[in-house]
Amino acid sequence: YFDLKLFPNPVGSLLVVQTKALQQVLRMEVYDASAHLLWSQSYDAFHEIDARVDMSKFPAGIYFIKLTAGKNTCVEQVYKR
């Protein structure tokens, strides 16, 4: 549904998140391995997403990128160096 691209993985400081245009508002969230919400952003419907997430302030470890649009949800894992 999302046609999601996340790179680089593992990430150093800047994570690129790209999706196709969706017909609903997209909410993107970053969680740490303990399920704490660290960052969130909403994006307008009908626009392709080409977002940059600044991961430089987060310590090395595993993070989860959660995308939600209406009833559709996708969670991807990324590694921070």
Side-chain angles (χ1 to χ4, degrees), residues 8-9 12 21 37 39 43 46 48 54 65 67 69-71 76-77:
N9 192 6
L37 177 63
W39 181 90
Y43 298 90
F46 304 107
E48 290 184 2
D54 182 6
I65 311 303
L67 302 178
K71 295 181 181 181
E76 294 289 332
Q77 181 174 294

Side-chain angles (χ1 to χ4, degrees), residues 1-2 7 11 25 44 47 55 59 77:
Y1 178 81
F2 291 98
F7 58 91
V11 61
V25 171
D44 293 334
H47 292 94
M55 303 283 289
Q77 181 174 294

Side-chain angles (χ1 to χ4, degrees), residues 9-11 32-33 55 58-64 77-81:
N9 192 6
V11 61
D32 65 14
M55 303 283 289
F58 305 144
I62 298 171
Y63 293 87
F64 298 94
Q77 181 174 294
V78 295
Y79 298 91
K80 167 73 168 60
R81 290 183 269 159

Side-chain angles (χ1 to χ4, degrees), residues 17-75:
V17 181
Q18 298 175 333
T19 69
K20 65 180 182 179
L22 302 173
Q23 295 182 8
Q24 298 170 317
V25 171
L26 175 71
R27 181 160 182 83
M28 185 178 354
E29 300 168 330
V30 177
Y31 292 87
D32 65 14
S34 299
H36 294 109
L37 177 63
L38 303 174
W39 181 90
S40 67
Q41 179 75 42
S42 292
Y43 298 90
D44 293 334
F46 304 107
H47 292 94
E48 290 184 2
I49 306 302
D50 188 12
R52 306 294 190 267
V53 180
D54 182 6
M55 303 283 289
S56 65
K57 60 187 173 235
F58 305 144
I62 298 171
Y63 293 87
F64 298 94
I65 311 303
K66 179 180 179 183
L67 302 178
T68 305
K71 295 181 181 181
N72 298 294
T73 300
C74 175
V75 178

